[in-house]
Amino acid sequence: MPKLGLIGKDISYSFSKAYFTTKFENEELPFFYENFDIKDISQFKNVLKNNPDLLGLNVTIPYKEQIIPYLDSLSKRAEKIGAVNTIKIASDKTLKGYNTDYYGFKKSIKPFLKPHHKKALILGTGGASKAIAYTLERLNIQFDYVSRTSNTKAKFTYDDLNETIISSYPIIINCTPIGTHPKVNECPNIPYDGITKDHLLFDLIYNPIQTKFLICGEIKGATTCNGYSMLEFQAEKAWKIWGKG
């Protein structure tokens, strides 16, 4: 049976496997979806070698950037973003990387955007944040990064943040894994008292549905959105890229 799958680390919780398995069952499609939980990106070659029936892959944390040297080509968008979350495997076994996180994020955040949402704070500087930054640029939303340590990319560290800074960024996007199941009592260390009813908090995490980050925002009256619809949109986009949609 033709196979699709997910490359990642510690991915037993995977959205993609559950989503596509359900899709294949409901639509009576002759495909199988498998998780490839690898401890190091160098094991990617073994995945390909041991699964000659693979047609395509999704890529998740922490390999969205590390996967690029293993690919034969990139779509223009994936090249600009600098991160890949979808791979198409051609009949000649060449690998092309795409980024559908951009599409998923744009489709899911746009219904929540209001005229005052002109400035965003991105929590995290990893591969997931790259598609978010790319999308914000195209939506003409100014943004700055927050990181655990000082680096050239981030304007702030978490220690730099105060209520005044938080209140001046009406969009706050969590691109870190902090708060993911099973560590549901954790959340990014930001001054939540700076959040107001004019804020929009977006969390790329989807498990749990309501992260502590989003709960803290709701308590302050903010609009909140988790990453579930973003994943649905990007999954269907990947399905089309694989030539099945």
Side-chain angles (χ1 to χ4, degrees):
M1 185 180 290
K3 190 185 291 183
L4 298 159
L6 174 70
I7 295 287
K9 189 174 185 178
D10 301 325
I11 51 174
S12 58
Y13 63 87
S14 161
F15 162 89
S16 298
K17 181 173 173 61
Y19 182 85
F20 280 110
T21 299
T22 301
K23 179 183 177 71
F24 299 158
E25 289 173 357
N26 291 345
E27 299 179 25
E28 297 182 352
L29 297 167
F31 295 95
F32 179 74
Y33 196 99
E34 183 174 342
N35 280 353
F36 298 103
D37 203 321
I38 58 177
K39 298 304 177 188
D40 187 88
I41 193 61
S42 61
Q43 294 175 282
F44 176 62
K45 289 181 177 179
N46 291 333
V47 171
L48 296 176
K49 182 181 176 182
N50 297 332
N51 296 275
D53 50 352
L54 266 175
L55 300 178
L57 289 160
N58 294 121
V59 184
T60 190
I61 293 171
Y63 301 129
K64 292 186 180 189
E65 297 164 294
Q66 295 179 37
I67 196 74
I68 291 175
Y70 292 84
L71 307 178
D72 297 295
S73 62
L74 299 177
S75 71
K76 286 183 180 179
R77 182 159 285 147
E79 194 169 359
K80 286 179 181 175
I81 292 171
V84 163
N85 76 325
T86 302
I87 300 169
K88 182 174 183 178
I89 302 174
S91 56
D92 63 359
K93 301 303 178 183
T94 54
L95 310 177
K96 185 170 183 178
Y98 297 81
N99 190 301
T100 65
D101 282 335
Y102 156 77
Y103 175 80
F105 178 64
K106 184 179 178 184
K107 288 277 286 185
S108 54
I109 197 172
K110 278 188 84 173
F112 295 97
L113 294 177
K114 295 179 179 175
H116 69 275
H117 288 138
K118 295 295 183 188
K119 204 173 174 188
L121 207 54
I122 299 176
L123 309 181
T125 57
S129 71
K130 288 187 167 185
I132 304 311
Y134 180 89
T135 308
L136 293 174
E137 280 180 1
R138 273 138 197 83
L139 292 171
N140 294 314
I141 296 172
Q142 181 191 338
F143 62 89
D144 289 303
Y145 289 99
V146 181
S147 181
R148 287 174 295 179
T149 56
S150 298
N151 61 58
T152 54
K153 195 173 184 179
K155 182 173 182 178
F156 305 107
T157 66
Y158 287 95
D159 291 337
D160 294 331
L161 299 178
N162 56 41
E163 290 179 30
T164 302
I165 292 170
I166 289 295
S167 65
S168 69
Y169 288 87
I171 305 173
I172 303 177
I173 304 156
N174 180 32
C175 295
T176 78
I178 299 170
T180 305
H181 180 81
K183 297 180 179 179
V184 296
N185 287 320
E186 296 182 1
C187 61
N189 184 23
I190 65 172
Y192 289 93
D193 283 344
I195 292 170
T196 70
K197 61 180 177 58
D198 292 325
H199 273 79
L200 167 60
L201 269 60
F202 194 109
D203 201 331
L204 269 60
I205 294 169
Y206 60 91
N207 183 12
I209 293 294
Q210 195 75 334
T211 59
K212 191 173 180 181
F213 170 70
L214 296 182
I215 291 169
C216 290
E218 278 199 350
I219 289 169
K220 303 298 291 183
T223 300
T224 63
C225 181
N226 67 29
Y228 195 84
S229 62
M230 174 181 168
L231 284 164
E232 287 185 315
F233 285 128
Q234 66 92 352
E236 287 301 322
K237 192 73 168 177
W239 183 240
K240 288 182 179 177
I241 286 169
W242 295 327
K244 307 303 171 188

